[in-house]
Amino acid sequence: MSDSSLPQRPLEQTAFDKWPDAVRALFDGSSLASKTGFTASLLTVDANQHIRTSLLGAGELYAPDSRTLCIALWPQARAARAIAQSGRAALTFVLEGAFYQVQLLAAPLPPADGDDSGLVYVNCSIDSAETQRVRYARLTSGITFELEGEAEKILDRWERQIEYLKRAAALGA
């Protein structure tokens, strides 16, 4: 005997191999001030097989096309080393009521001309990806943050990082 009040399939999963329009808009490198607070989790596996998480904001993520994501990382970040070793990462985030999980294939990008930021740039392509939603609840946020103190300096740095990512992505294409 089944309970007809329960949904038949409470979990909706949708696979994709190119960025949905809302994600492209989020990662387009524009209007960064309006995107503060958004956080994505970059998951990597280090040489000891430990899963590591790096939290990234919109100023560190740039999608130059529908299947690519360029990422700016600090060179001392464990994620930078893990990606260099494995060539793989996963990105997770919440957007428009859905949980996104994207498996990425990654390769280093050369620094852009004039870039003295010291950042490491990574060019990623979608290996596999999916969104998950449940019909009985709507995700309203994932990990979020507020810029404190020197918000203008951080936004200026993000603008420069996105410009460097754009130039590095063009070199890597």
Side-chain angles (χ1 to χ4, degrees), residues 17-41:
D17 62 359
K18 64 180 189 171
W19 297 116
D21 291 341
V23 177
R24 282 287 308 275
L26 179 62
F27 297 154
D28 69 0
S30 70
S31 305
L32 294 175
S34 69
K35 298 172 184 175
T36 61
F38 168 82
T39 307
S41 295

Side-chain angles (χ1 to χ4, degrees), residues 46-154:
D46 69 15
N48 295 322
Q49 302 303 302
H50 294 128
I51 297 170
R52 302 293 183 183
T53 302
S54 298
L55 301 178
L56 303 175
E60 296 154 323
L61 303 164
Y62 169 64
D65 60 50
S66 64
R67 297 177 193 276
T68 306
L69 183 67
C70 298
I71 302 172
L73 297 168
W74 295 107
Q76 68 272 21
R78 292 182 292 200
R81 290 189 304 273
I83 290 171
Q85 290 171 347
S86 71
R88 300 191 62 81
L91 191 74
T92 63
F93 55 93
V94 172
L95 183 65
E96 295 185 336
F99 175 74
Y100 285 76
Q101 183 169 345
V102 185
Q103 301 295 322
L104 300 167
L105 300 175
L109 276 172
D113 291 336
D115 179 3
D116 61 356
S117 68
L119 294 170
V120 171
Y121 301 115
V122 181
N123 189 56
C124 301
S125 59
I126 297 172
D127 184 33
S128 65
E130 68 180 22
T131 61
Q132 297 177 13
R133 299 175 194 268
V134 292
R135 291 188 177 106
Y136 57 85
R138 183 176 188 281
L139 291 172
T140 57
S141 70
I143 299 168
T144 59
F145 68 93
E146 290 181 11
L147 293 176
E148 294 183 350
E150 301 179 349
E152 286 301 315
K153 285 177 88 172
I154 294 166

